Amino acid sequence: MPDRPSPDAVRAYDAGRPAPLVAATGIVLDTRGRVLVVTTAYTTGPELPGGTVEDTETAEQGLARELREELDLGAAVGRLLAVDSRPPGPLGRSLIVHVHLVGPLSPQEAAAVSLTDGGNTAARWLRPEEACAVLPARVAPRLRAGLAALHAGSFAHLVDGVPQPGSPAGLDPARRAALEHAGALDAASHRASRPKALTAASVLFTDADGRILLVQPAYGRTDRWNLPGGGIDSDLGEIPRAAARREVREELGLDLAPGRLLAVNWSHKPGRPARIRFLYDGGVLDAPALARIRLDPTELLQWRTVPPEELPALVKGALRRQITACLEARASGAGPLELHAGRL
């Protein structure tokens, strides 16, 4: 049996092998949705912040270093949005670029971005469409695909800036349809590239006076109240009705079987996953049942019951329309209703 190579021999072998360059770039956003674009002393046009990963750094560590050294920015490097592989260029080396989300930065953090003694000569905040217009042709596709992945909660696979068949994000819908109709996608690529939807289940409770039970979330938009409920763990095989019961138990401490399905609501914004909500009738909670409510402080700040006329001040319009439609369905025995953004 041949001798096992020493660790030094393995390192020397790996160091001598041809390898692609690895770079990491950041889509740095502020709370207004603007993108940070920099001008460098060593390139001819604007760039996204970032640079080559050095020595034993990970892509995340390399990007964090570049942001710190060149922009005095200590923000955390967020999730991976895209990977772009470029074939060998003039230097004879292929390039792999990791595209990460950074931010959104608060107004104070965005204002504190400054040029240090690094290679950047200017930095400016641009709307995404403006940034795509000024960035060079090799960089703009990464921004477009990265933002598509951000909005879809997904990931983009690029080669020389072009989204690949089966890329979960960034693939033009017309191109995806053409690939599907041509039978050019294998089963895994077909699943990856199909549009995704987020699913949730909510429960409509009222008290003896017809007031609606609302809860105030402890995270996100705490100024907007919701119905009890939450996301369906579909990856675990959970069905909507089971999710509704689990969420009420976790949030309110009440283990109550949901009543009949009152409505299914579909909502959608361009470039983002559709949202589907199953709305169940929780029935009327009497005073002893309301007294048994015990909130999960990691999820909810408080609960209250409100008359229908107070809903506009507490919940967003689409949810208010869903609640109103469900109250009418409950009273008339109609349904389940098919709603789009709360409208029939």
Side-chain angles (χ1 to χ4, degrees), residues 47-49 91 97 105 145 172 209 263 274 278 291 335 339-340:
E47 297 280 347
L48 293 174
L91 298 180
V97 182
L105 304 185
D172 181 83
D209 295 320
F278 294 79
L339 306 176
H340 180 209

Side-chain angles (χ1 to χ4, degrees), residues 13-28:
Y13 173 77
D14 287 341
R17 299 182 66 187
L21 295 171
V22 177
T25 190
I27 297 180
V28 184

Side-chain angles (χ1 to χ4, degrees), residues 67 77 89 254:
L67 295 174
V77 173
L254 301 178

Side-chain angles (χ1 to χ4, degrees), residues 197-203 219 226-236 238-248 250-251 275-278 299:
L198 303 176
T199 56
S202 298
V203 182
Y219 50 85
N226 296 318
L227 291 175
I232 300 170
D233 291 335
S234 55
D235 57 333
L236 301 178
E238 187 175 52
I239 63 173
R241 180 173 293 275
R245 184 167 187 167
R246 173 183 55 78
E247 287 286 344
V248 169
E250 292 176 355
E251 292 186 346
R275 293 177 176 269
I276 303 168
R277 185 200 300 263
F278 294 79
E299 299 225 13

Side-chain angles (χ1 to χ4, degrees), residues 15-339:
R17 299 182 66 187
L21 295 171
V22 177
T25 190
I27 297 180
V28 184
L29 299 178
D30 68 3
T31 54
R32 296 166 56 186
R34 298 181 302 174
V35 179
L36 182 63
V37 173
V38 299
T39 303
T40 73
Y42 45 82
T43 57
T44 57
E47 297 280 347
L48 293 174
T52 304
V53 177
E54 297 180 355
D55 196 21
T56 59
E57 289 180 327
T58 65
E60 293 83 355
Q61 290 170 336
L63 177 56
R65 173 184 50 77
E66 288 281 347
L67 295 174
R68 188 172 56 252
E69 292 178 353
E70 308 231 342
L71 296 170
D72 195 25
L73 179 59
V77 173
R79 75 178 186 88
L80 182 64
L81 297 175
V83 169
D84 187 12
S85 302
R86 297 192 65 204
L91 298 180
R93 300 282 295 278
S94 59
L95 175 68
I96 299 175
V97 182
H98 291 237
V99 182
H100 285 267
L101 171 66
V102 180
L105 304 185
S106 68
Q108 295 77 15
E109 291 173 320
V113 169
S114 63
L115 302 176
T116 63
D117 293 332
N120 292 328
T121 59
R124 50 185 170 151
W125 293 95
L126 300 176
R127 296 194 305 272
E129 60 273 19
E130 294 174 333
C132 287
V134 302
L135 288 169
R138 61 182 171 78
V139 178
R142 296 175 195 155
L143 175 59
R144 283 193 291 267
L147 290 174
L150 171 63
H151 296 151
S154 191
F155 172 82
H157 168 208
L158 313 177
V159 174
D160 209 11
V162 178
Q164 297 302 290
S167 176
L171 190 65
D172 181 83
R175 172 64 174 155
R176 184 195 71 232
L179 291 168
E180 290 175 344
H181 295 158
L185 296 177
D186 58 71
S189 295
H190 181 267
R191 287 194 301 271
S193 60
R194 288 300 302 167
K196 308 300 189 293
L198 303 176
T199 56
S202 298
V203 182
L204 175 67
F205 292 106
T206 56
D207 65 12
D209 295 320
R211 294 178 298 188
I212 300 106
L213 175 65
L214 297 178
V215 293
Q216 184 182 27
Y219 50 85
R221 290 289 302 271
T222 59
D223 59 323
R224 288 182 173 174
W225 292 63
N226 296 318
L227 291 175
I232 300 170
D233 291 335
S234 55
D235 57 333
L236 301 178
E238 187 175 52
I239 63 173
R241 180 173 293 275
R245 184 167 187 167
R246 173 183 55 78
E247 287 286 344
V248 169
R249 183 175 63 251
E250 292 176 355
E251 292 186 346
L252 303 179
L254 301 178
D255 189 12
L256 302 173
R260 70 183 184 93
L261 180 65
L262 296 173
V264 176
N265 184 74
W266 175 282
S267 62
H268 175 255
K269 292 182 179 179
R272 288 163 169 78
R275 293 177 176 269
I276 303 168
R277 185 200 300 263
F278 294 79
L279 295 117
Y280 292 92
D281 186 1
V284 177
L285 297 180
D286 57 19
L290 292 171
R292 291 199 307 271
I293 291 178
R294 297 293 182 270
L295 299 182
D296 178 353
T298 64
E299 299 225 13
L300 301 176
L301 297 177
Q302 57 181 319
W303 65 272
R304 62 189 295 189
T305 58
V306 300
E309 59 269 21
E310 291 186 16
L311 290 175
L314 297 171
V315 303
K316 59 183 181 181
L319 179 57
R320 183 177 72 251
R321 291 190 294 270
Q322 293 171 56
I323 294 173
T324 300
C326 286
L327 288 172
E328 293 172 354
R330 178 205 264 185
S332 66
L337 304 178
E338 181 181 339
L339 306 176

